[in-house]
């Protein structure tokens, strides 16, 4: 009888993950990370059109520095939300319209050349620009217009193309600001996709259980780590030191690669923390969070050693550091996707983006 009572007590104290409600964790990420991050992106992007206007009105050192700062801050704010690849960010192709990444074949560059050769007026207003290819609408397109290969600001400089380039750049900046504002607005309300995530059930066409909703959010972090390694780091490393291609780092033309890489990892770390998963993790697996903190710290330290613009400064020592960084990001990904997902009984730690 005593053994039966002990067995019943043990069974009652172990709650299957499938029976657990995860709305508190999802709410924690929405309120604690997604809303402030998207609102911060919108606030930062709103300063970009004014910076374009200033550098186009008078291309002096002060206006160039203002534009460079505004562009860099917008890239950083974008990097902190671009892994949120569900709901509002993927609606209406917002993600690709904000930045066309990756672009290994130089599609944006080719399309921009045609636009500038034709002096296509459709890119001079937000309304008509929004109907063009996603490759020519966002921050990656603005980078090509505004910076030379050495990260120098060329936007606003006197030449025959100045008026068209400035009009196009202003339309892009306004387009980015408008998308950022609508993205923040969609997340700010308790309705919309926030409600989709937190109202799982038989009447919810997307999520039948809160566990499914949590898995969707959780897997966006795993996907973000896959992208950070496979799309943002490995192409720049190439197959060897001799074949390294630092221009393949995201936003390398404007010397914002380190800004972007640091922001995306910081965003993923903070978003993961906002879920509050430690409280749900069995005691035997709580070590995972100390390991993640250590690994994210290693990644930050490695990034802090890199000095932009990487297109010009990247050397053998940097190659070794970035190689270690890629290994570190993979270790973080494996810890999240395998160890933490396993400890919490969450499905789908890997997805189609992962080549392993």
């Amino acid at each position: 009888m005593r053994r039966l009572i002990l067995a019943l007590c043990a069974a009652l104290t172990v709650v299957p993950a499938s029976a657990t409600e995860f709305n508190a964790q999802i709410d924690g990420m929405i309120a604690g990370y997604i809303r402030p991050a998207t609102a911060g992106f919108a606030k930062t992007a709103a300063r970009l059109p004014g910076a374009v206007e200033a550098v186009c009105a008078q291309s002096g050192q002060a206006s160039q520095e203002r534009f460079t700062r505004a562009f860099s801050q917008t890239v950083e704010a974008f990097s902190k939300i671009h892994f949120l690849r569900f709901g509002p960010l993927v609606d209406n192709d917002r993600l690709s319209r904000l930045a066309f990444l990756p672009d290994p074949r130089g599609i944006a560059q080719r399309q921009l050349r045609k636009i500038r050769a034709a002096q296509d007026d459709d890119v001079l207003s937000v309304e008509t620009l929004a109907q063009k290819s996603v490759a020519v609408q966002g921050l990656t397109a603005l980078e090509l217009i505004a910076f030379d290969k050495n990260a120098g600001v060329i936007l606003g400089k006197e030449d025959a193309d100045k008026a068209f380039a400035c009009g196009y750049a202003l339309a892009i900046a306004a387009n980015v600001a408008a998308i950022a504002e609508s993205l923040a607005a969609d997340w700010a309300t308790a309705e919309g996709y926030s409600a989709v995530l937190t109202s799982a059930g038989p009447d919810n066409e997307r999520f039948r259980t809160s566990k499914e909703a949590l898995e969707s959010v959780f897997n966006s972090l795993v996907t973000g780590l896959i992208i950070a390694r496979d799309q943002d780091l490995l192409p720049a490393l190439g197959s060897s030191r001799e074949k390294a291609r630092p221009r393949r780092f995201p936003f390398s033309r404007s010397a914002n690669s380190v800004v972007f890489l640091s922001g995306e990892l910081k965003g993923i770390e903070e978003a993961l923390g906002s879920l509050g998963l430690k409280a749900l993790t069995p005691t035997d697996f709580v070590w995972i969070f100390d390991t993640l903190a250590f690994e994210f710290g290693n990644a930050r330290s490695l990034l802090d050693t890199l000095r932009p613009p990487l297109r010009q400064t990247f050397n053998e020592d940097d190659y070794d550091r970035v190689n270690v960084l890629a290994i570190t990001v993979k270790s973080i990904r494996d810890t999240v996707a395998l160890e933490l997902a396993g400890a919490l009984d969450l499905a789908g730690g890997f997805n189609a983006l992962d080549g392993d």
Side-chain angles (χ1 to χ4, degrees):
M1 183 66 178
R2 183 171 178 272
R3 288 181 180 178
L4 177 61
I5 292 172
L6 289 173
L8 287 172
C9 288
L12 290 172
T13 58
V14 178
V15 181
S18 58
T20 303
E21 284 297 326
F22 295 105
N23 280 345
Q25 284 67 40
I26 297 168
D27 273 330
M29 183 165 164
I30 293 172
Y33 187 79
I34 296 176
R35 283 178 183 154
T38 52
F41 176 46
K43 182 178 180 180
T44 302
R47 296 194 288 265
L48 194 55
V52 170
E53 289 177 325
V55 79
C56 284
Q58 185 177 9
S59 184
Q61 182 177 350
S63 61
Q64 288 182 8
E65 289 177 353
R66 175 184 172 185
F67 171 74
T68 299
R69 183 167 56 252
F71 185 82
S72 180
Q73 290 171 346
T74 305
V75 167
E76 181 179 21
F78 170 69
S79 74
K80 293 178 179 177
I81 60 98
H82 91 293
F83 61 89
L84 300 172
R85 296 170 180 240
F86 52 84
L89 188 57
V90 295
D91 288 346
N92 301 315
D93 272 337
R94 280 173 174 154
L95 179 60
S96 295
R97 291 168 61 206
L98 285 168
F100 187 65
L101 292 169
D103 186 15
R105 298 181 181 179
I107 292 172
Q109 183 77 277
R110 291 200 301 272
Q111 292 185 2
L112 282 172
R113 288 195 187 112
K114 291 179 180 179
I115 286 171
R116 297 180 81 161
Q119 298 285 286
D120 185 352
D121 288 346
D122 286 347
V123 301
L124 301 181
S125 75
V126 174
E127 293 74 22
T128 50
L129 177 62
Q131 306 306 313
K132 304 291 281 186
S133 162
V134 295
V136 300
Q137 290 189 36
L139 293 169
T140 42
L142 180 56
E143 181 184 45
L144 289 168
I145 296 170
F147 297 90
D148 62 25
K149 293 180 180 179
N150 297 313
V153 176
I154 54 175
L155 184 64
K157 290 193 173 181
E158 293 294 341
D159 59 30
D161 196 42
K162 175 181 175 179
F164 182 81
C166 282
Y168 184 13
L170 183 58
I172 291 176
N175 186 51
V176 169
I179 296 171
E181 182 180 14
S182 64
L183 175 66
D186 281 359
W187 276 116
T189 176
E191 307 302 321
Y193 202 74
S194 293
V196 172
L197 284 170
T198 56
S199 62
D203 297 327
N204 187 321
E205 295 182 0
R206 180 66 180 84
F207 302 112
R208 297 302 182 186
T209 67
S210 63
K211 182 185 177 186
E212 289 181 4
L214 177 66
E215 286 171 342
S216 177
V217 170
F218 184 87
N219 287 335
S220 74
L221 306 181
V222 176
T223 299
L225 291 165
I226 292 169
I227 289 170
R229 175 181 176 267
D230 294 3
Q231 294 184 6
D232 298 343
L233 295 174
L234 295 187
L237 286 172
S239 58
S240 66
R241 288 186 181 87
E242 294 72 28
K243 295 183 179 180
R245 294 172 290 179
R247 64 179 182 80
R248 292 287 302 276
F249 285 117
F251 293 102
S252 66
R253 188 182 184 95
S254 60
N256 282 300
S257 298
V258 176
V259 166
F260 184 84
L261 294 166
S262 298
E264 69 177 337
L265 291 178
K266 182 178 181 182
I268 292 168
E269 181 181 18
E270 291 181 356
L272 180 60
S274 71
L275 281 170
L277 297 176
K278 189 173 184 178
L280 298 178
T281 303
T283 304
D284 289 347
F285 294 95
V286 169
W287 59 266
I288 290 172
F289 296 92
D290 290 335
T291 297
L292 288 173
F294 178 76
E295 294 282 31
F296 274 114
N298 285 341
R300 283 193 298 272
S301 297
L302 288 163
L303 284 163
D304 285 345
T305 66
L306 303 177
R307 293 291 174 263
L310 295 184
R311 285 194 181 198
Q312 284 73 48
T313 63
F314 201 68
N315 56 38
E316 289 190 4
D317 289 340
D318 291 331
Y319 184 93
D320 291 338
R321 293 185 187 105
V322 173
N323 195 41
V324 174
L325 177 61
I327 294 170
T328 302
V329 173
K330 184 179 186 300
S331 177
I332 294 171
R333 182 199 67 178
D334 289 349
T335 302
V336 174
L338 299 178
E339 302 291 354
L340 185 56
L344 295 171
D345 190 29
L346 298 178
F350 289 98
N351 63 26
L353 283 176
D354 181 35
D356 290 348

